[in-house]
Amino acid sequence: MVMVAAVAGPKASPGLPHETTSFVGRRRERGEIRQLLSDARLVTLTGFGGVGKTRLALRTVADLRRAFADGVYFVSLASISDPALLTQSVASALGLQARVQRAGPDWLAEYLLEKEVLLVLDNCEHLVDAAAELADTLLRRCARVRILATSREPLRIDGETVHAVSPLSLPPVNVGGSSSALHAFEAVSLFIDRAKAVAPDFELSDANGAAIAEVCAKLEGIPLAIELAAVRLRTMSPAELAGNLTGRWALLTRGSRTAPDRQRTMAACIEWSYELCTDAERDVWAAVSVFFDGFTLDAAESVCAGVADEPLGDTIASLVEKSVLTAQKYDARTRFRLLPPLRHRGLKRLEESGELTEFRRRHRDWYVALAQLAHRDWISQRQAEWIRTMRRETGNLQAALGFCFGEPNEAEPGLQMGADLHEFGLAEGLFHPGLMWFKRLLPLSPQPTLTRALALRTACWWSAASGDIASSLRLLVEGQRVADEVGGPVENLFTQTAGFVALFSGDIERSIELFDEALDVFREAGDTSEITQTLYLLQLAHVFSGNFERAMECYEECRAITEPVDESWARGYSTWIAGFTRWSSGAVTEAEKLYKSALVIARRIDDPVGIGLCLEGLGWIAVTSEPERAAIVLGAADSVWDRIETSTSALRGLFVHHQGALATVAASLSEADRDAAWAQGRSLSMAEATKFALGETVARKPAAAGPARSPSGVLTKRENEIATLVAQGVSNKDIAERLVISKRTAETHVENILTKLGFTSRNQITVWMGEQAIPAGGRG
């Protein structure tokens, strides 16, 4: 159904998109689907495109959101063309964007093992095999998970209940034009509702009732077709519209007798709208179909250059008028979107004309240029806007990278794009999706070019930041080799990169030497962006080394660059490190003020890493005077780390303070109070946790129906798994081998378990696990 910007309907549940137009009818059908979901764990809504499967699913689950303790999550698959990205899309919908290095059906099943959720998998038909595999795995392993899928065909797995979505109810032939009688039929109600949107004075009457009933009947009650037809009331009366449909619609419905009904009907619907367009409109429609998840006018101007003689803005406006495109404003800019059935019609036109590859290349070139602009303009007052823009363009960026991977001799621009997304990837914590693309593209362009060197540098940073030091060292060695061969400024970028890897490897003195060396060269070149990044990294290294004076000098220099242009990302980190510096030197009041300032900055761009660090710092401060508050804040931080699959353990200089804070909390509170506060913090959203830490609100109590996090609500799922092995007498070395992790990682987990529980020996863990009466394998 056609979406417009105005928000209507009930308030959206977390995990569900807002309804953008009023919902009409289907009360009986919603009740039937709710009953099916109570009896079956997988219900698939089937039907042709445009029949209203998505809207019906959304309204149905909105009514059910209170029935699932851990939430209802909507996963749109419309813009996903690669089956490998399916589980990443589900992880993203669950708020786990960065936890994708093991993203597969088994990984998601492990995460959802004890959770009571309803997943809505929307538009499965083009990924039906992958969707079926995922659904089958989740349903077999996760007893409390239910799935509502929409697809043009069933998933065809055991336990599936299929509900065929019908068109809207239509008036019978003999109902006549009585307006009072026509109001009872859903198709007529929808037509009237959408007609009022384009012609506010429009009213159903006895005079036009027969024509409206005829239009709805000829369109077979298909919601999308009705909405497209209603738009024509700008230029036609209902009687003219009914007459115009007669020959055109009868001709279009006489398709292949062997084709599915839904294809013949939707082809008729789309073809009718298509034929009402001018040649220029059709050409632009086809050209903009290469965009995923929408586009801006400047993007369309790049892709559509030379497509039509008339001004592109006029053609776009006309397509919006005809409801081929939807339009919505973001940050004072308009974003346009083709609904999937209309987009597929445009792609078909490009395929038939042999132009698809050319227009996909233009699309790719635009996003390569956009990533380059974001990179060059990063340290500026436009940074927050760039972050929001690039978030909205994620689908298009992935499509562009997919073109680079799938077409011969196109990998180099993809590597350039990846290199230019360096800062955005760090800001979003999207290390693992980005590394997946690098792993695909780097082997396709092995030549020792500047682009390859820059791509290796970004891949190296993202690997180190994600905790994969071994991979980062391999990438560093290869990158340095290519940089030496290429020569020029990239050599100094690898001096800086070597410092970054040294910092995360724990070689603090070496990292300081390398950062200082790189900083001198960046200053000579006047490279503001790299000066800023190096300064806050050098600042952190100096705190770890105990040189607080030099750390604050780096902070002041970084602030002098970033504050005048209202930059957020680097300034937020540098401000947090300044707070860490003051706290480390005993100036607690000043540290708290700096931590809160950093948190306000991080909130501006929804930076999960920055927010997590600020929560940690404020929790460390609170442990001595307000241990319960500290437990709440640290629990909230733990939830943030869990979401992006990282933690303070990535940097030992921070992890020791995290452990110390947990030990103080354990010593200050009873086990029950500590666990309750921790669970309360874990239950907060990132926005709620930020407000609580800043003193803007009080923390809400966790829902009583929520699932147990782990033994006593304290341990993460991985920690519970390791605690179970410890209780079985398994050594750290054997734990590492069983779980395919490093011995050091296993040791870190055991240390964290001891600290959280306030224990000093593995024997205490064994006794405590026995007291919990948890079966082998843990609760998850």
Side-chain angles (χ1 to χ4, degrees):
M1 298 170 72
V2 175
M3 301 285 189
V4 296
V7 176
K11 183 178 179 182
S13 171
L16 298 179
H18 290 274
E19 292 187 344
T20 55
T21 56
S22 56
F23 188 89
V24 176
R26 299 201 187 274
R27 183 180 299 275
R28 177 187 57 78
E29 202 164 13
R30 282 165 20 218
E32 291 174 354
I33 297 169
R34 287 195 296 270
Q35 183 60 48
L36 290 176
L37 281 169
S38 69
D39 298 331
R41 293 179 55 222
L42 169 62
V43 176
T44 302
L45 306 185
T46 62
F48 46 80
V51 78
K53 301 184 294 294
T54 298
R55 288 298 302 272
L56 177 57
L58 280 170
R59 176 50 67 97
T60 300
V61 300
D63 297 337
L64 292 172
R65 59 187 181 272
R66 293 184 181 87
F68 293 85
D70 296 303
V72 177
Y73 296 91
F74 180 84
V75 187
S76 175
L77 307 179
S79 64
I80 304 301
S81 58
D82 186 349
L85 299 178
L86 171 60
T87 50
Q88 292 184 20
S89 298
V90 177
S92 178
L94 292 169
L96 307 170
Q97 290 89 338
R99 301 184 61 179
V100 295
Q101 74 271 36
R102 300 187 307 277
D106 290 337
W107 179 84
L108 281 173
E110 184 180 15
Y111 175 78
L112 294 170
L113 190 62
E114 290 293 329
K115 290 182 167 54
E116 184 181 19
V117 302
L118 173 60
L119 291 178
V120 182
L121 302 181
D122 187 49
N123 285 303
C124 294
E125 56 268 7
H126 60 302
L127 302 170
V128 66
D129 291 337
E133 178 189 0
L134 174 62
D136 186 65
T137 299
L138 295 182
L139 295 174
R140 289 180 185 278
R141 295 181 54 185
C142 308
R144 303 170 72 196
V145 169
R146 291 178 186 261
I147 297 173
L148 178 63
T150 74
S151 177
R152 295 192 184 188
E153 62 180 293
L155 301 188
R156 296 187 180 92
I157 63 174
D158 291 342
E160 179 184 35
T161 295
V162 177
H163 176 85
V165 178
S166 303
L168 298 176
S169 62
L170 290 165
V173 176
N174 60 357
V175 75
S178 168
S179 59
S180 58
L182 289 175
H183 270 296
F185 300 97
E186 295 168 335
V188 174
S189 296
L190 178 65
F191 184 91
I192 295 169
D193 183 88
R194 300 308 190 253
K196 286 179 177 292
V198 299
D201 295 332
F202 180 83
E203 293 289 346
L204 173 67
S205 66
D206 290 345
N208 62 22
I212 292 172
E214 183 181 353
V215 168
C216 293
K218 288 184 178 295
L219 297 177
E220 301 182 30
I222 302 165
L224 177 58
I226 291 170
E227 293 187 339
L228 290 170
V231 172
R232 305 310 301 169
L233 291 179
R234 291 192 180 104
T235 56
M236 298 181 186
S237 69
E240 289 172 330
L241 180 57
N244 192 49
L245 275 171
T246 301
R248 197 179 295 267
W249 197 260
L251 176 65
L252 290 172
T253 53
R254 294 184 183 131
S256 168
R257 294 184 184 276
T258 62
D261 288 343
R262 66 180 183 275
Q263 291 179 359
R264 282 185 283 156
T265 306
M266 277 311 298
C269 174
I270 301 304
E271 285 303 321
W272 180 66
S273 184
Y274 185 75
E275 290 192 17
L276 289 176
C277 293
T278 65
D279 288 342
E281 290 166 353
R282 294 176 193 174
D283 290 340
V284 172
W285 178 346
V288 299
S289 68
V290 296
F291 289 99
F292 279 71
D293 295 333
F295 58 92
T296 55
L297 182 59
D298 52 354
E301 286 172 341
S302 177
V303 170
C304 298
V307 168
D309 293 333
E310 59 189 66
L312 180 64
D314 293 345
T315 307
I316 293 287
S318 181
L319 289 170
V320 172
E321 286 287 310
K322 295 179 177 180
S323 289
V324 173
L325 293 173
T326 60
Q328 191 166 6
K329 287 193 179 297
Y330 296 94
D331 294 334
R333 300 189 70 192
T334 302
R335 189 169 181 83
F336 304 96
R337 180 174 177 266
L338 276 168
L339 292 173
L342 303 175
R343 179 173 178 268
H344 292 155
R345 179 61 182 89
L347 290 172
K348 178 184 176 183
R349 162 77 178 270
L350 292 180
E351 289 174 343
E352 291 172 346
S353 65
E355 298 176 294
L356 181 57
T357 299
E358 170 59 26
F359 279 96
R360 288 193 68 200
R361 183 177 290 108
R362 292 186 185 190
H363 171 273
R364 187 277 314 278
D365 290 345
W366 168 259
Y367 285 100
V368 169
L370 188 72
Q372 188 174 69
L373 285 172
H375 171 68
R376 292 177 176 175
D377 203 27
W378 189 255
I379 303 299
S380 74
Q381 62 185 2
R382 292 174 295 278
Q383 184 186 78
E385 180 183 347
W386 273 117
I387 290 173
R388 291 191 295 271
T389 295
M390 300 307 275
R391 283 173 182 158
R392 284 194 291 269
E393 297 291 4
T394 298
N396 280 310
L397 293 169
Q398 289 182 343
L401 289 167
F403 176 80
C404 294
F405 176 68
E407 293 292 325
N409 304 315
E410 298 286 357
E412 188 87 353
L415 292 177
Q416 182 64 57
M417 183 191 298
D420 285 331
L421 292 172
H422 179 91
E423 293 86 0
F424 178 69
L426 291 171
E428 290 292 280
L430 300 177
F431 310 127
H432 299 294
L435 289 169
M436 180 195 74
W437 285 113
F438 278 129
K439 288 176 182 178
R440 290 179 173 185
L441 293 169
L442 281 167
L444 300 179
S445 184
Q447 298 80 11
T449 63
L450 174 61
T451 298
R452 182 175 179 83
L454 294 172
L456 287 165
R457 177 215 179 204
T458 295
C460 179
W461 277 59
W462 291 356
S463 291
S466 68
D468 189 352
I469 301 302
S471 293
S472 70
L473 288 169
R474 289 194 297 271
L475 291 162
L476 175 63
V477 170
E478 184 182 356
Q480 286 174 325
R481 178 184 60 77
V482 176
D484 290 344
E485 194 167 341
V486 172
V490 71
E491 293 181 276
N492 193 52
L493 287 175
F494 272 93
T495 301
Q496 176 205 49
T497 299
F500 188 82
V501 174
L503 178 67
F504 277 80
S505 299
D507 192 348
I508 305 304
E509 290 186 10
R510 180 59 177 158
S511 72
I512 291 172
E513 292 174 5
L514 291 164
F515 286 144
D516 276 331
E517 181 182 342
L519 189 58
D520 289 341
V521 178
F522 290 140
R523 282 178 173 144
E524 289 177 10
D527 191 335
T528 302
S529 179
E530 299 305 337
I531 290 170
T532 305
Q533 284 198 72
T534 309
L535 278 171
Y536 77 74
L537 292 169
L538 182 60
Q539 179 187 353
L540 182 59
H542 278 305
V543 181
F544 288 156
S545 73
N547 191 343
F548 303 143
E549 181 179 355
R550 180 69 183 109
M552 292 306 293
E553 289 174 359
C554 291
Y555 164 63
E556 294 297 342
E557 187 176 352
C558 187
R559 187 172 70 165
I561 296 171
T562 58
E563 202 167 75
V565 297
D566 200 25
E567 190 272 350
S568 299
W569 179 62
R571 182 159 58 109
Y573 286 127
S574 186
T575 303
W576 181 86
I577 298 168
F580 180 46
T581 306
R582 290 308 191 205
W583 181 74
S584 299
S585 63
V588 176
T589 300
E590 188 176 354
E592 183 175 10
K593 187 180 299 184
L594 286 164
Y595 281 149
K596 288 185 175 181
S597 295
L599 185 53
V600 170
I601 295 170
R603 178 166 60 178
R604 289 180 56 191
I605 56 174
D606 291 324
D607 174 10
V609 178
I611 289 172
L613 288 170
C614 292
L615 294 174
E616 285 281 346
L618 290 167
W620 301 345
I621 288 175
V623 291
T624 54
S625 58
E626 299 178 277
E628 184 177 11
R629 180 180 180 82
I632 294 172
V633 173
L634 291 172
D638 190 59
S639 180
V640 174
W641 299 138
D642 207 31
R643 169 188 166 191
I644 61 176
E645 201 172 58
T646 189
S647 72
T648 54
S649 63
L651 283 167
R652 296 292 295 178
L654 300 182
F655 189 52
V656 294
H657 300 299
H658 173 82
Q659 289 180 300
L662 292 180
T664 302
V665 167
S668 304
L669 298 175
S670 69
E671 183 176 319
D673 289 344
R674 176 197 66 196
D675 293 350
W678 183 269
Q680 188 174 354
R682 287 277 311 175
S683 74
L684 298 176
S685 69
M686 198 163 72
E688 291 171 334
T690 298
K691 289 181 178 180
F692 176 73
L694 292 172
E696 297 173 355
T697 62
V698 296
R700 60 174 172 79
K701 297 293 184 181
R709 166 147 163 75
S710 58
S712 296
V714 176
L715 304 184
T716 66
K717 189 173 73 64
R718 174 64 92 182
E719 289 167 349
N720 178 46
E721 186 177 15
I722 290 174
T724 301
L725 294 173
V726 170
Q728 294 171 359
V730 181
S731 68
N732 288 345
K733 179 181 178 181
D734 290 339
I735 289 173
E737 290 179 357
R738 289 193 190 188
L739 301 182
V740 196
I741 58 178
S742 69
K743 182 182 177 184
R744 177 180 174 184
T745 300
E747 291 170 348
T748 299
H749 279 302
V750 173
E751 290 173 10
N752 209 21
I753 292 167
L754 290 169
T755 302
K756 282 186 176 181
L757 300 179
F759 296 158
T760 58
S761 72
R762 294 166 66 94
N763 288 337
Q764 289 175 296
I765 295 176
T766 301
V767 172
W768 184 76
M769 289 294 287
E771 291 172 349
Q772 307 308 307
I774 300 173
R779 239 180 300 185

